[in-house]
Amino acid sequence: YYPGCSMDASAKPYLDSLLAIRDVLGLEFEEIRDWNCCGATEYFSVSLLPAYALVSRNLALAARQANGCNTVVASCSACYLNLAKTEHYLREDKALHEKVNAALAAGGLDYKPGSLEVRHLLDIIYHDVGLEAVKRSVVQPLKGLRVAPYYGCLIPRPDYDHRYSNHEYPTELDRLMKALGAEVVDFPLKSHCCGGHMTQISAPVAYELIRRLLHSATEYRADVIATLCPMCQLNLDAYQGEMNRYFRTDYRVPVLFFTQLMGLAFGKDAKALGIGREFVDARPALARIGVEVAIEEAPARRVRRPKEELPMPRMPQEE
């Protein structure tokens, strides 16, 4: 299991909820020892060889630790993509593989492409655990909860191993949410970009990307957005207030990790699932389906605003 940097920080509820449901699903995880950052989305734009070497170190460590298990699982979309992309290109490009292994040799490591299979957590739950096993584990169906399934742009594309039903309009998360008893709404922007780290680069661009997603979910009367990416959750949740101030809107759409909703359906304690730690409070939406979340109020958290004063935009015309 490759956790990535965010799981013990901004995405702690993702990790908490995964730990809460793993026994129900019959999953066992062994964390890669001494893993390092995958470089997120920026490093590959800075310097390719060090970026591939950085990711390959994790693959080499996993292969050495594997002990008969050839699957590496990542929960974070960026981590998953970097691991999968690196494995793919090391197989395809012999020269790259040789250069990367030369870099790894300095740390006493090497990696043989094809040794490991890189998969996202959703893929494991959907294809290996299976929807029938998920349904059998549901003790508190999410009946009446309208969920917008949000994949983000990194999971279904480029999909090197062809694990998803459609690159533009995948349905695996939709079906998983239905297996929990939720009412899944049509969400046309389900695989559109949330902006990634654009909030730190160009706030107007970032806020517009966030606004489009929240507007679409609101148009389809979603109670919550279910996501499977720490960056997507952070942008749509933590920056929702900033986006509202920028556009003078009032969207209030809770954004939860899909594992949190699975935990609720499995009858797990909401606090153990990290519910209540989100910026946009999910409790009113969950209360409408009879889920009580008795959690002490936490001090308000803040996100960093851009330093410059942003001009107020003209509102775009909605289709």
Side-chain angles (χ1 to χ4, degrees):
Y1 174 65
Y2 179 78
C5 304
S6 62
M7 296 298 278
D8 268 323
S10 61
K12 188 65 163 55
Y14 198 1
L15 177 62
D16 291 344
S17 54
L18 173 57
L19 295 178
I21 67 173
R22 63 177 174 177
D23 290 341
V24 178
L25 301 174
L27 293 172
E28 294 182 20
F29 296 105
E30 183 177 341
E31 187 172 319
I32 299 173
R33 291 187 289 273
D34 196 32
W35 60 268
N36 55 261
C37 176
C38 75
T41 54
E42 289 86 359
Y43 202 8
F44 281 90
S45 300
V46 176
S47 186
L48 280 176
L49 182 57
Y52 280 117
L54 187 77
V55 180
S56 296
R57 182 179 181 276
N58 293 310
L59 294 172
L61 290 171
R64 188 168 69 178
Q65 185 181 330
N67 194 26
C69 175
N70 69 340
T71 300
V72 174
V73 181
S75 306
C76 169
S77 300
C79 296
Y80 160 73
L81 178 62
N82 282 346
L83 290 165
K85 177 169 63 177
T86 298
E87 223 295 322
H88 173 77
Y89 282 114
L90 290 182
R91 275 185 275 140
E92 295 288 315
D93 190 334
K94 183 179 179 180
L96 175 64
H97 174 221
E98 291 175 350
K99 292 177 182 178
V100 164
N101 263 354
L104 293 178
L109 294 170
D110 65 70
Y111 180 67
K112 181 181 179 182
S115 302
L116 297 171
E117 194 175 46
V118 179
R119 303 177 65 183
H120 189 274
L121 178 63
L122 173 64
D123 172 25
I124 293 288
I125 293 176
Y126 184 86
H127 289 109
D128 292 13
V129 175
L131 295 184
E132 290 306 313
V134 170
K135 289 178 183 177
R136 289 194 297 269
S137 301
V138 172
V139 297
Q140 190 172 339
L142 305 181
K143 185 177 181 181
L145 187 69
R146 293 177 61 83
V147 177
Y150 181 54
Y151 300 75
C153 59
L154 300 180
I155 291 297
R157 299 183 290 267
D159 192 16
Y160 296 109
D161 296 318
H162 310 292
R163 299 192 180 279
Y164 294 94
S165 52
N166 188 291
H167 291 169
E168 298 298 330
Y169 201 84
T171 58
E172 284 74 12
L173 183 57
D174 304 53
R175 294 172 183 175
L176 179 59
M177 291 296 104
K178 288 179 181 178
L180 302 178
E183 183 178 347
V184 176
V185 306
D186 185 24
F187 191 38
L189 304 186
K190 62 171 66 178
S191 63
H192 285 222
C193 182
C194 71
H197 292 130
M198 189 59 68
T199 51
Q200 308 305 309
I201 301 168
S202 175
V205 173
Y207 294 160
E208 171 56 13
L209 291 170
I210 293 169
R211 187 202 63 81
R212 290 173 66 244
L213 293 168
L214 294 172
H215 175 80
S216 180
T218 302
E219 284 285 285
Y220 285 89
R221 296 185 295 112
D223 296 317
V224 300
I225 292 175
T227 187
L228 35 75
C229 172
M231 178 58 73
C232 295
Q233 197 280 336
L234 178 70
N235 279 340
L236 296 181
D237 180 40
Y239 286 94
Q240 192 167 150
E242 294 293 317
M243 181 279 302
N244 275 328
R245 280 186 283 275
Y246 182 65
F247 284 113
R248 296 177 181 171
T249 51
D250 191 30
Y251 295 109
R252 296 181 185 178
V253 185
V255 187
L256 296 176
F257 292 106
F258 78 105
T259 46
Q260 292 178 289
L261 293 175
M262 292 182 73
L264 286 177
F266 294 166
K268 297 295 183 179
D269 177 69
K271 186 174 182 179
L273 299 170
I275 294 175
R277 297 180 61 185
E278 62 279 350
F279 283 79
V280 181
D281 197 351
R283 286 175 285 181
L286 298 177
R288 290 200 292 271
I289 62 167
V291 176
E292 296 296 329
V293 186
I295 299 178
E296 295 180 4
E297 292 289 343
R301 294 180 292 170
R302 302 181 66 185
V303 295
R304 187 174 67 184
R305 295 190 184 187
K307 293 180 180 179
E308 73 274 13
E309 193 69 32
L310 299 175
M312 292 304 298
R314 294 176 60 190
M315 284 298 296
Q317 295 296 316
E318 301 294 352
E319 294 182 0

